[in-house]
Amino acid sequence: MTMSIRSPDELRQMFGANLRQLSRQYSSVSELCRQLGINRTQFNRYLAGESFPRPDVLDRICRFFEVDARILLRPLEEIETPPEHPAASALTEFLGSGPSTLTENLLPAGFYYATETGLDGSPATRHRLIHTRRLPQCTLVRSYEPENDGIPADTTRREVQGIAACAGRQIFILMSSRAAQNSRIYLVTRGAEENSERWRGIAICLSKTNAQATTMRRISLNYLGTQAKAALPAARAAKRFKQSAA
């Protein structure tokens, strides 16, 4: 059987149509480009079917949208896609905070320097680095408990993960160590000033093993951007704060 041969232009148009369909779930192309780390002008060329991405950029796009490289060759509706993640429907139906609700304006993806300040009679100030990653289904949060905080040095034991959602302009972040150890709930709002890079609110810190250790603290989040090199100095600073307080 003879297979029809498609021209490079036809394949570019196929990819552009698929990418436009995938991008519709985002209210802003500029926001999507920031999350993907792709230049807006170049992304527009992909959308228009004028060019293909490099292999590494294609891999980034496929991972972000949770599709495979067949988006270069076949219409999206002909490609079997994984079922929607349960978190997406739960956020939308029960919390009113679907993937498109928690926008970049409310909580940009990237790194944050978190400062927890004790209220009257509570423990001293704590510092940590937090990373947020926006997926088509939800926004994930990742961090690590500070070293020398009564937690083994093993990074697996110190790892913290969670999810972010919103109610109107108020953002709530739920995260915990493995097995629900040292859980936290952040309730924060972005500063009122234009283009504010700071979020303030309350942190509720829970202990699975010691109910008396549950505390409420002030929380401040400073946005550091999406590049790891900008976050490294903050990570070192957090470690110095912890060592000086020990």
Side-chain angles (χ1 to χ4, degrees):
M1 186 173 89
T2 303
M3 297 181 63
S4 61
I5 299 176
R6 288 176 289 181
S7 68
D9 181 64
E10 289 176 313
L11 293 174
R12 286 193 297 268
Q13 292 297 326
M14 175 78 67
F15 175 68
N18 287 339
L19 192 58
R20 289 195 299 273
Q21 186 172 336
L22 290 169
S23 301
R24 285 182 191 138
Q25 60 189 297
Y26 290 86
S27 58
S28 166
V29 174
S30 296
E31 174 185 331
L32 178 58
C33 289
R34 284 195 295 271
Q35 295 181 43
L36 285 168
I38 299 176
N39 177 273
R40 171 69 184 271
T41 300
Q42 186 58 50
F43 192 75
N44 284 340
R45 289 176 58 83
Y46 300 153
L47 293 175
E50 297 175 358
S51 67
F52 281 136
R54 300 191 314 264
D56 60 314
V57 177
L58 175 62
D59 178 69
R60 195 186 315 162
I61 292 171
C62 289
R63 287 174 180 271
F64 183 86
F65 288 111
E66 296 186 337
V67 294
D68 58 49
R70 287 179 295 172
I71 60 173
L72 292 172
L73 306 173
R74 296 172 60 184
L76 199 61
E77 56 269 17
E78 294 181 7
I79 302 174
E80 294 181 2
T81 56
E84 184 183 59
H85 195 284
S89 58
L91 285 171
T92 303
E93 295 178 27
F94 294 92
L95 302 180
S97 180
S100 62
T101 309
L102 185 57
T103 63
E104 279 285 291
N105 183 56
L106 287 175
L107 189 74
F111 293 94
Y112 293 80
Y113 188 72
T115 304
E116 295 178 13
T117 306
L119 300 175
D120 294 342
S122 60
T125 301
R126 297 167 58 93
H127 305 265
R128 70 171 63 230
L129 192 67
I130 294 175
H131 182 258
T132 66
R133 179 188 175 204
R134 184 158 288 110
L135 301 178
Q137 301 90 354
C138 57
T139 297
L140 300 181
V141 179
R142 191 180 186 192
S143 180
Y144 287 89
E145 292 286 0
E147 294 182 28
N148 305 318
D149 200 27
I151 300 171
D154 178 19
T155 55
T156 301
R157 299 286 297 276
R158 294 192 297 109
E159 184 179 13
V160 175
Q161 291 196 26
I163 193 168
C166 65
R169 296 193 59 81
Q170 186 169 56
I171 299 155
F172 46 101
I173 300 172
L174 295 79
M175 55 185 179
S176 175
S177 303
R178 296 176 187 272
Q181 300 289 336
N182 302 307
S183 302
R184 272 174 168 70
I185 303 172
Y186 288 169
L187 302 174
V188 297
T189 305
R190 191 170 192 171
E193 59 271 23
E194 186 177 359
N195 299 322
S196 172
E197 299 301 312
R198 177 170 293 184
W199 286 250
R200 292 187 176 91
I202 293 294
I204 303 172
C205 310
L206 312 172
S207 174
K208 181 179 179 180
T209 57
N210 184 2
Q212 294 180 346
T214 299
T215 59
M216 183 175 291
R217 306 163 67 86
R218 295 186 183 91
I219 179 69
S220 175
L221 301 177
N222 290 327
Y223 184 58
L224 304 175
T226 59
Q227 301 300 315
K229 63 181 179 181
L232 287 176
R236 298 189 188 102
K239 188 173 182 179
R240 287 197 301 271
F241 274 120
K242 180 60 188 173
Q243 290 174 341
S244 64

